Amino acid sequence: MVVTGQELELVPCVQRRRPGRSGLGVALRVLRCGLGATLIAAAPIHASAAKANLKAGLPVNPRAPHQKYQLAPRGKIRYEHEIRDKDWRQSYRTKEVGEDKKTLIQRLRKGSTPARELAKAAALLQQRRLLSTPQEYTLVIKVLGKLGLYEEAKLLLVDMERMDIQPSIINYCAVLKAFALNKQWRATIEFISDMWEDGRIRPDVVAYSIAISACEKAGRWKEALQLLADMEERGIAPDTIVYNAAISACAKGGHVDRALQLLAAMPARGLNPDVITYNAVMNACAKSGQWDTAMGLLRDMRAEELNPDTTTYNVAMNACEKNRLGLETLRLLIDMYDFQVDPNHYTYNTAISACRKAGLWDEALELLTEMTEGGIRMDGHSYASAIAACRDDWEQALGLLARMEVEVVMPDVVVYGAVISVCEKAKQADLALTLLNQMGVSMLEPDLVTFNSAISAVEWAGMWESALSLLQEARNRHVHLDQRSYSAAIGACGRGGAWARALQLFSGMRSNYVAPDRIAYDSVLRACEAGGEWKTACKLLQTMQVEGIDPDLAVISVVAHTCDKGGAVEQATQLHDRVHDIKSEKVGRDSTAQRRKVGGETTESARRPSRKERPTSTKAFSKAVTAGGGVERVGFGACADRVLMIMENKRK
């Protein structure tokens, strides 16, 4: 056993020889650990040996010579931290000790007891040998598990055998829970293997479920499936809880196919999937981006007369949000109202984020209002999603930021990054720099996204000196810059007329382990155009092709205009001819695609609405649902009239 900490005191427990006893006492060290005090067994001594050493002037316990002992009347041994004040002929399990035991047990069962007091109570119960039933040992094992002392919890099984108390499967499961609580998934597997080798206590379905849950929390899906297979080989029938844990492990590992296989195998074993089972499988589908499979599972739940809960809808919305399906997310939210499922703050956060990604900006802000009217407290993620939905409305974004201060919600890095991004789209460079400085006053460290938004904001204004200053500040804060960072700074230098600095930044990208992409080449070529450097532009165009980046029409046009400005007529003519050929090929492809559409036009119900056709309010969305706009409807019969009634009732 390895215990770290500073030794506080040594409490020797000298037990005189009694009939039927081993005559051994135990000295217990009380150590200060991370969560409080714990104890380890050490230094067993005989009472006669202790008395002889004391008379001879030697240390009573050679392993703890610093302890102070003295002879008491009638030959008793007295020491500083006295435990028993009764005569040795009397049993230490007296009424006084029994009352003390009751107090210690109550202290362990009390939920508000501090961690240090819990450790002291557990130490005293073991030190005084007050534990007499398996139930009491189970309580102490659970407490030690909460304190992170899982190895000490395991040693209590040995202490039970020494006290002639036969451990039960409940005690073994308590030890497994102590391991699982402290994320010791490997120890749970080894403990089950030791139980099979010992043979006295056979692991049951509860023991396996604890071990599989420990593997699931650690993301060890292979080990979880191995434990499930081991159960079936040994003739232990798994229950729904075991399958739920195994499916959750596969979901965390991103193996949706295995999760679906486990779900399909449950009816053959006489097990009925419950809501938790479907939630776990849908979570696996959401993480892998299979939103249509998740929606199919939601329909299967209704067919099996299972009532989806808030977690079910949250998982389904998460799947839609990752695929930028704002309309489907809103339909799921309406279904929650229809089936009287209460949404929480995560539901609204996911819906707002989905609407923002799908371009439903007005719906995202309207959901924020409904969230406030519904009495659901908004967090930083709610405000960050709503601010991002403001697009280029920087005044509204600042209003939401001020509203956070009124509602005592501390803005974090994500919120400030969203506001700076809005300022970037609104071309408010000075405001973006002010917000970045305000982050430093609020003791917040800007991340890569925040720096990129700020550099992009100063790019539009041509403030190349500010862009270079932001790059240097990001390096000083050990922020690893990416292609967007350099591209924006190069663009700022190009717009500000500092084309030499732009070339210098582009050359320094590879030395900082950042490979230039198409956007970086476009930025540096535009800087060359502003400086009339046609030779450098032509070399960069060749380098771009050598590196496997196919230049598009815009890049070739920029190089052609640069050659025109530099007087390179021959190179400019070749590039203009190339631009003409690319345009001709594009027109030919468009004509072929148009001919293929003749006779095979997509129906109105299957066509995804364009940005102009997308709803801009709740009523418009209800009309779109009635008209069948968007992708296949996933809801369960919520008509437009009922949608309007629900929305109007909520506003009232």
Side-chain angles (χ1 to χ4, degrees), residues 18-19 21 40 140 153 175 182 186 260 288 319 322 324 335 347 355 358 400 451 457 467 474 600 604 606 614 625 630:
R18 296 173 55 196
R21 297 285 180 177
I40 63 173
V140 177
V175 175
N182 292 275
R186 206 176 266 111
L260 292 172
S288 60
K322 289 185 177 180
R324 302 175 180 269
D335 287 338
T347 309
C355 292
L400 290 174
F451 274 112
E604 184 68 22
R614 293 178 188 175
V625 172

Side-chain angles (χ1 to χ4, degrees), residues 16 24 55 106 207 290-291 338 371 378 401 576 595:
R16 295 183 180 273
L24 294 178
K55 287 184 178 181
Q106 290 178 350
Q290 300 183 16
W291 69 274
D338 287 342
M371 191 176 181
M378 294 178 292
L401 184 62
H576 283 301
R595 286 194 300 269

Side-chain angles (χ1 to χ4, degrees), residues 2-8 29-38:
V2 179
V3 180
T4 60
Q6 179 183 1
E7 183 171 324
L8 294 180
R29 292 187 181 93
V30 180
L31 302 178
R32 179 183 292 122
C33 296
L35 290 175
T38 183

Side-chain angles (χ1 to χ4, degrees), residues 161 166 172 192-202:
E161 296 178 356
Q166 181 63 33
Y172 279 87
I192 286 184
S193 179
D194 294 340
M195 290 177 66
W196 283 113
E197 292 179 1
D198 185 57
R200 288 179 294 179
I201 302 294
R202 292 168 53 91

Side-chain angles (χ1 to χ4, degrees), residues 602-610 613 628-631:
T602 56
T603 60
E604 184 68 22
S605 60
R607 182 175 60 85
R608 183 175 180 84
S610 62
E613 294 172 342
V631 191

